Amino acid sequence: MKNSISRDIILFISFLIAQILLTNFIDFGPLVFISVYPLYILTRPRHINNVISIASAFILGFLTDYFTGSILGINAAAATLLAFAQPFLVKFVIRKDSNEGPLRPGIAEIGFRRFFIFLLSGLILHHIAIIWLENFSLQINFYSFLRILISLVLNFLLLTMIEFGIFYKNLR
Amino acid sequence: MPEKTSVKPILVSILTFIILEGAALWMMSGSSYFQRARLNEAYIQVEKRFLNTNSNIRYYLTLNRANAVLAEENSRLRNTLSKYQALLDTLSRTDSVSIPVPDSSLFTYIPARVIGNSTNRSHNYIIINKGRKAGVREDMGVISANGVVGVVNAVSDNYAHIISLLNIKQSVSARIANSGAFGPLIWNGVSTNHAVLTEIPQHIKFRMGDSVVTSGFSAMFPPDIPLGKIVGSKIVLGTHHEIRVKLFQDFKTLKFVNVVVNNNRSEIDSLILKGNEE
């Protein structure tokens, strides 16, 4: 138990640092926003209390906002939404009772195909939330759509590589 | 874990979610002018909608009074209109020398509200809230905006009892607007929306959808009040039409009526009495 908590805290800090480094030191241009922290929120182990999960996601998003100089609260709101939706996504993709299911919804536990669907749906939710909050309206114009699409592809590839390279390899 | 299945943790997590999202939105409004402007806009819209609903509800609650005022005004306008109609009739007669126009016209109207109404019997009656004190007398006609309602049957000080048109003993003298053929309009006791116009001679031509109006031959009702439109007919005994008329007046939603006062009623009655004696 103590081990898993310390593991969680280490993951939290490393995702935060990765997010800050990627956003602050590499300029991807206006059409792309890189977000790494969705992987952390999406692959939270299922035995963690929902309230703790949502609160920690909020803190993670807030710190991301604070250190990357974006509009304060935009990543916090999106991260909170993602953390709130994560149990439903897990249920939707894995189609099993969450008690019987794997503890951590990663590649190693639920397989490639399911993980891709899981990650993609989570990322779409997150990106649309970000764009909605940025424009502060529910309409999505062509520019925003392009932005969602390109960021989605890049983030999806990036997060799949992280998941595959770091978590999947280490567990095998 | 038994508490997993209960509703409480879900509610708690939804509450956390809402609180944290609200905090995030609040932070956004504090840090960005654009988001703050949009939030203010949304707030103003919600407020506007709320106020709008509020005023709608208020408007609905005061509709009763507004209706009474409108009925009052409507009958006043009818009175004025009939006065001018009488004036026009006098003026348009080119053969007459200029006679002084009477200061009151033939018909005046007393507005009243329906307080009792039945439609489900073969002898239906209506009770209105104006009586002898307001000038209502027996055998006065009662109309509404959509046609004839009935005839006053009995009067007390403050109320009047009306034989509804939906009464198989009641008839109204009616005519087909286009051809001018007239006959009694009676209710056959079948449908509250339909009545039957009888005694129209067989040679009279009419079409479906022609309107039926009051004839004005009885002293109770002014002429040309729309009653309904023709929806069907059949020939009875080979001699006359029996025409099915769809009434404009929906008796189930009847609320405001006008009692028709014929100002020359006593004169006409005494004339008829005199004519019968001789």
Side-chain angles (χ1 to χ4, degrees):
Chain A
M1 194 66 189
K2 206 173 181 183
N3 193 20
S4 81
I5 289 174
S6 56
R7 186 170 179 266
D8 212 49
I9 292 172
I10 291 171
L11 276 178
F12 184 93
I13 293 169
S14 18
F15 269 101
L16 181 61
I17 290 173
Q19 178 70 51
I20 292 166
L21 291 180
L22 276 171
T23 320
N24 283 5
F25 293 102
I26 308 174
D27 189 3
F28 288 99
L31 275 177
V32 177
F33 55 91
I34 293 292
S35 34
V36 186
Y37 65 84
L39 185 65
Y40 169 75
I41 294 167
L42 282 173
T43 58
R44 284 307 279 285
R46 286 295 305 124
H47 60 79
I48 290 180
N49 190 346
N50 268 339
V51 176
I52 295 174
S53 149
I54 293 174
S56 64
F58 176 79
I59 295 168
L60 179 59
F62 174 69
L63 290 176
T64 308
D65 283 327
Y66 188 78
F67 286 116
T68 58
S70 60
I71 302 165
L72 202 65
I74 187 166
N75 279 310
T80 312
L81 175 69
L82 198 61
F84 179 70
Q86 188 237 12
F88 302 107
L89 283 176
V90 169
K91 252 181 216 167
F92 172 69
V93 174
I94 300 173
R95 293 171 191 279
K96 259 189 206 169
D97 196 68
S98 57
N99 290 335
E100 300 170 12
L103 284 178
R104 179 185 179 278
I107 289 182
E109 290 82 3
I110 65 177
F112 278 101
R113 204 164 54 85
R114 278 179 179 164
F115 180 76
F116 288 159
I117 298 170
F118 179 55
L119 183 62
L120 198 62
S121 48
L123 277 181
I124 288 173
L125 186 69
H126 174 260
H127 283 34
I128 289 178
I130 289 259
I131 290 292
W132 274 351
L133 288 168
E134 229 172 44
N135 298 343
F136 227 86
S137 79
L138 295 183
Q139 290 170 348
I140 293 179
N141 53 23
F142 179 71
Y143 176 74
S144 301
F145 180 73
L146 205 66
R147 212 155 158 241
I148 290 180
L149 200 68
I150 296 176
S151 309
L152 194 64
V153 172
L154 280 180
N155 284 332
F156 182 71
L157 289 177
L158 181 65
L159 295 192
T160 314
M161 282 194 289
I162 294 175
E163 170 70 19
F164 184 73
I166 297 176
F167 300 101
Y168 180 62
K169 281 285 172 68
N170 285 357
L171 275 169
R172 262 158 71 98
Chain B
M1 278 182 277
E3 73 264 13
K4 271 262 173 182
T5 53
S6 70
V7 182
K8 208 175 151 195
I10 299 173
L11 281 182
V12 168
S13 65
I14 288 176
L15 200 67
T16 322
F17 169 69
I18 290 172
I19 289 170
L20 290 179
E21 285 287 352
L25 286 180
W26 180 68
M27 283 196 296
M28 280 169 76
S29 74
S31 72
S32 156
Y33 285 108
F34 175 67
Q35 261 76 4
R36 188 189 302 166
R38 294 304 294 266
L39 268 181
N40 274 343
E41 208 173 282
Y43 172 72
I44 286 167
Q45 270 190 1
V46 169
E47 195 186 23
K48 207 166 73 184
R49 193 163 298 172
F50 175 74
L51 287 177
N52 209 358
T53 317
N54 200 358
S55 85
N56 274 346
I57 290 170
R58 255 163 213 232
Y59 173 72
Y60 184 76
L61 290 179
T62 55
L63 265 186
N64 235 343
R65 212 183 313 148
N67 267 342
V69 170
L70 282 179
E72 211 54 70
E73 187 185 353
N74 207 2
S75 78
R76 211 175 59 231
L77 289 177
R78 263 174 194 275
N79 284 340
T80 324
L81 184 68
S82 65
K83 206 177 285 178
Y84 283 118
Q85 191 66 48
L87 188 63
L88 188 69
D89 285 349
T90 324
L91 287 180
S92 62
R93 280 216 308 268
T94 50
D95 56 332
S96 71
V97 286
S98 70
I99 46 169
V101 175
D103 59 346
S104 70
S105 63
L106 192 56
F107 292 104
T108 50
Y109 302 90
I110 303 167
R113 196 156 62 81
V114 173
I115 57 171
N117 187 7
S118 73
T119 57
N120 56 353
R121 279 169 270 174
S122 60
H123 299 267
N124 290 303
Y125 296 97
I126 298 169
I127 297 170
I128 59 171
N129 68 343
K130 288 283 166 66
R132 196 172 285 120
K133 280 180 183 170
V136 180
R137 298 286 180 274
E138 278 93 355
D139 290 335
M140 279 181 174
V142 180
I143 61 171
S144 76
N146 298 322
V148 167
V149 171
V151 174
V152 177
N153 180 28
V155 187
S156 70
D157 273 354
N158 293 312
Y159 299 99
H161 188 255
I162 296 168
I163 303 177
S164 171
L165 181 63
L166 301 185
N167 190 316
I168 54 175
K169 285 199 287 190
Q170 180 65 38
S171 76
V172 176
S173 174
R175 68 182 168 89
I176 302 169
N178 290 347
S179 63
F182 67 95
L185 181 79
I186 54 171
W187 186 56
N188 55 2
V190 178
S191 153
T192 58
N193 291 325
H194 294 88
V196 176
L197 180 60
T198 55
E199 295 179 21
I200 299 292
Q202 200 192 348
H203 65 275
I204 298 292
K205 297 273 187 297
F206 56 86
R207 277 179 301 197
M208 297 296 129
D210 277 359
S211 56
V212 174
V213 298
T214 51
S215 66
F217 293 154
S218 74
M220 290 173 188
F221 299 107
D224 296 327
I225 293 177
L227 289 169
K229 60 179 183 186
I230 297 173
V231 291
S233 80
K234 64 180 179 197
I235 291 173
V236 182
L237 302 172
T239 58
H240 63 268
H241 289 291
E242 195 178 286
I243 300 169
R244 218 163 117 79
V245 178
K246 173 141 181 30
L247 297 172
F248 292 133
Q249 175 65 49
D250 182 2
F251 280 83
K252 291 188 173 171
T253 59
L254 193 64
K255 196 76 189 165
F256 291 99
V257 295
N258 283 306
V259 180
V260 181
V261 182
N262 189 336
N263 295 322
N264 297 341
R265 184 64 177 270
S266 53
E267 194 181 328
I268 295 171
D269 282 352
S270 64
L271 184 65
I272 291 171
L273 220 65
K274 214 165 131 190
N276 284 348
E277 277 171 8
E278 286 172 6

